[in-house]
């Protein structure tokens, strides 16, 4: 197995047979939960993430509410069966950190000033994990927020790049993440041209960082098109009256 | 879809245009005369003007809106009402209790309105912290006095407020068709609550009609389709104009 993998990487093909600048197969769907105000799911490779958005609603406890804007609450949670080894359902240090970085990324897009003293809840549930879940979560959460009718300045879309076997690759998977030298998740607002999340794990030279950043940017823009399609499909569905004859 | 229509998502540019829409809330200026949409919806762009019909929107209370809420709590001098928005409304006891002066020591509020009661009200005031003051007094023209105060024995249907303009139609065309076939008391409140008093069969028909309208909000020729479903002749309707009620003049 290891020999096989090494051989593949020499031919610039990755563990799962992708090209260096190729995303895993992706699919975004909006409006999947009936009882949530807004919802979305993303499937990116073997990642499967469901997001539900609730609100805006009155913040509780009241003394914590902000006078000038709403509070965005994010909860990133991995299901116990999402990984190969059972994960305790208790929020881990990593999950608390990811909830924070996702919140910081989304806060810049949502127009929170419209709802003083309120709160908006974003629940992210990772049902199946295979690397780069933080950027996939941001991508899906942004679709869910738009579906909920919450005013936003722009969509937020994330993608990751990394360095595996000395080569810069796009959309790092779980195995590549473990044996790779570096990981660079980014999230952007594509129309406002702003970076809202930038983290780095490992070591990259200045040139490598530039290359990885450009590559992640390209991947993010590809995912942005998918976000657009998922949202526009909701309206396209409402445009036809065909197939209504059974009423 | 006509040439001037465009599906927009948050952050999508709608060009260098000023705003004319239903609500100031669907546009965000990013500078240098470029504006973007803040909601998912359909933008009608014409002659440097734009009107965005959102897919979903959060109901924001506005002064003068006729709304239907239900009692969720008591205050010493009135009731707290759930109004289908992100804030709750306050209905003062003075408005409901007309006989004599209201004295909280002597009068039991439960005698007038209890938890869960439906109340038809008008928004009297909204302050900058979004505290909503309601009234059951007829402070606005065009509202049936019977639809103010406690409402009982109604069927309730809840829809999104963005669907209301479509349910009412241009100059009330859609609601006229529905009223032609479905008789009984039909109330459309601006917070998306639709109340109906009549036979159960008619209620079921109304519910299925509203379902079709909600599922095909952006379709063209929907009024004709609904008229066909209900067996109403459109030409006949135009001769016999019925004036719309105040609460139906939503948009």
């Amino acid at each position: 197995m290891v020999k096989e993998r090494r051989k593949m990487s020499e031919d610039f093909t990755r563990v799962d047979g992708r090209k260096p600048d190729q995303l895993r197969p992706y699919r975004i769907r909006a409006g999947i939960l009936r009882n949530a105000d807004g919802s979305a799911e993303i499937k990116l490779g073997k990642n499967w993430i469901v997001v539900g958005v609730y609100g805006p609603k009155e913040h509780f406890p009241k003394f914590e509410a902000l006078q000038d804007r709403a509070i965005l609450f994010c909860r990133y949670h991995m299901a116990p069966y999402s990984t190969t080894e059972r994960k305790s359902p208790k929020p881990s240090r990593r999950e608390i950190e990811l909830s924070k970085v996702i919140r910081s990324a989304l806060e810049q897009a949502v127009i929170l000033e419209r709802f003083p003293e309120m709160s908006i809840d974003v629940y992210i549930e990772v049902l199946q994990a295979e690397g780069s879940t933080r950027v996939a979560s941001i991508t899906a959460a942004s679709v869910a927020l738009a579906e909920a009718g919450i005013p936003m300045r722009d969509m937020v879309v994330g993608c990751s790049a990394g360095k595996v076997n000395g080569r810069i690759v796009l959309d790092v998977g779980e195995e590549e993440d473990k044996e790779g030298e570096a990981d660079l998740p980014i999230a952007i607002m594509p129309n406002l041209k702003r970076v809202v999340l930038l983290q780095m794990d490992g070591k990259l030279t200045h040139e490598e960082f530039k290359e990885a950043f450009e590559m992640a940017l390209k991947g993010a823009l590809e995912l942005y098109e998918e976000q657009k399609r998922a949202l526009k499909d909701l309206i396209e569905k409402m445009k036809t009256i065909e197939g209504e004859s059974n009423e | 879809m006509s040439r001037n229509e465009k599906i927009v998502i948050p952050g999508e540019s709608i060009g260098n245009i000023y705003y004319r829409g239903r609500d100031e809330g669907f546009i965000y200026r990013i500078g240098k005369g470029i504006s973007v949409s803040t909601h998912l919806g359909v933008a009608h762009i014409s002659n440097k003007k734009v009107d965005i019909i959102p897919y979903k929107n959060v109901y924001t209370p506005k002064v003068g809106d006729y709304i239907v809420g239900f009692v969720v709590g008591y205050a010493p001098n009135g009731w707290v009402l759930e109004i289908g928005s992100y804030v709750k409304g306050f209905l003062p006891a003075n408005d409901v209790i007309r006989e004599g002066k209201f004295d909280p020591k002597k009068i039991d509020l439960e005698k007038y309105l209890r938890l869960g009661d439906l109340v038809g009200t008008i928004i009297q005031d909204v302050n900058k912290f979004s505290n909503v003051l309601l009234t059951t007094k007829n402070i606005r023209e065009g509202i049936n006095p019977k639809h103010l105060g406690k409402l009982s024995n109604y069927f309730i249907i809840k829809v999104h407020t963005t669907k209301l303009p479509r349910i009412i139609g241009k100059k009330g065309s859609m609601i006229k068709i529905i009223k032609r076939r479905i008789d009984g008391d039909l109330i459309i409140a601006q917070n998306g609550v639709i109340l109906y008093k009549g036979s159960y069969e008619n209620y079921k028909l109304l519910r299925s009609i509203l379902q079709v309208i909600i599922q095909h909000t952006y379709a063209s020729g929907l009024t004709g389709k609904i008229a066909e479903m209900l067996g109403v002749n459109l030409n006949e309707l135009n001769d016999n104009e019925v004036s719309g009620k105040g609460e139906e003049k939503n948009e």
Side-chain angles (χ1 to χ4, degrees), chain A residues 163-207:
Chain A
K163 189 180 170 189
V164 182
N165 294 337
R167 208 182 152 81
I168 303 295
V169 292
L170 179 67
D171 192 19
V172 186
E174 194 179 11
E175 278 191 43
E176 289 173 327
D177 198 12
K178 276 175 190 163
E179 61 183 54
E181 291 111 78
D183 182 20
L184 178 84
I186 67 159
I188 55 159
M189 293 204 274
N191 292 298
L192 295 179
K193 296 188 172 58
R194 274 191 216 163
V195 177
V196 290
L197 168 82
L198 180 66
Q199 291 185 305
M200 196 171 87
D201 209 0
K203 280 181 187 169
L204 288 177
T205 64
H206 193 75
E207 282 69 37

Side-chain angles (χ1 to χ4, degrees), chain A residues 58-234:
Chain A
E58 273 177 89
H59 187 77
F60 192 82
K62 202 112 191 179
F63 68 87
E64 276 182 1
L66 300 176
Q67 295 272 304
D68 57 338
R69 62 195 166 93
I71 290 172
L72 189 74
F73 171 79
C74 269
R75 177 183 183 262
Y76 168 96
H77 183 247
M78 286 176 103
Y81 47 83
S82 62
T83 44
T84 41
E85 230 169 83
R86 182 184 181 272
K87 191 212 141 281
S88 164
K90 191 183 106 185
S92 64
R93 182 203 55 75
R94 182 178 166 275
E95 279 167 304
I96 296 166
E97 183 211 321
L98 289 198
S99 304
K100 194 258 159 202
V101 296
I102 292 168
R103 189 187 72 225
S104 314
L106 293 173
E107 252 178 1
Q108 306 190 41
V110 181
I111 306 176
L112 294 167
E113 299 82 53
R114 293 257 173 97
F115 310 107
E117 298 195 346
M118 303 294 141
S119 66
I120 298 164
D121 294 352
V122 180
Y123 291 98
I124 299 161
E125 198 68 32
V126 181
L127 303 180
Q128 206 167 279
E130 200 217 0
S132 302
T133 51
R134 78 188 67 189
V135 282
S137 302
I138 289 174
T139 308
S142 150
V143 174
L145 281 164
E147 209 262 327
I150 289 164
M152 288 166 84
R153 295 181 180 92
D154 199 351
M155 299 295 287
V156 183
V157 55
C159 192
S160 69
K163 189 180 170 189
V164 182
N165 294 337
R167 208 182 152 81
I168 303 295
V169 292
L170 179 67
D171 192 19
V172 186
E174 194 179 11
E175 278 191 43
E176 289 173 327
D177 198 12
K178 276 175 190 163
E179 61 183 54
E181 291 111 78
D183 182 20
L184 178 84
I186 67 159
I188 55 159
M189 293 204 274
N191 292 298
L192 295 179
K193 296 188 172 58
R194 274 191 216 163
V195 177
V196 290
L197 168 82
L198 180 66
Q199 291 185 305
M200 196 171 87
D201 209 0
K203 280 181 187 169
L204 288 177
T205 64
H206 193 75
E207 282 69 37
E208 280 172 341
F209 173 80
K210 266 189 177 174
E211 193 190 338
F213 185 81
E214 289 295 325
M215 202 178 252
L217 206 61
K218 211 184 111 215
L221 292 176
E222 196 179 329
L223 283 170
Y224 176 58
E225 292 302 316
E226 174 69 6
Q227 278 187 328
K228 258 191 191 175
R229 189 207 52 76
L231 286 172
K232 289 186 176 181
D233 266 8
L234 290 172

Side-chain angles (χ1 to χ4, degrees), chain A residues 37 114 191 238-240 244, chain B residues 1 11 25 28 38 56 216:
Chain A
D37 292 321
R114 293 257 173 97
N191 292 298
M238 291 185 162
K239 280 193 162 176
T240 49
E244 215 41 65
Chain B
M1 186 156 65
Y28 181 75
T38 56
K56 264 186 200 171
H216 308 284

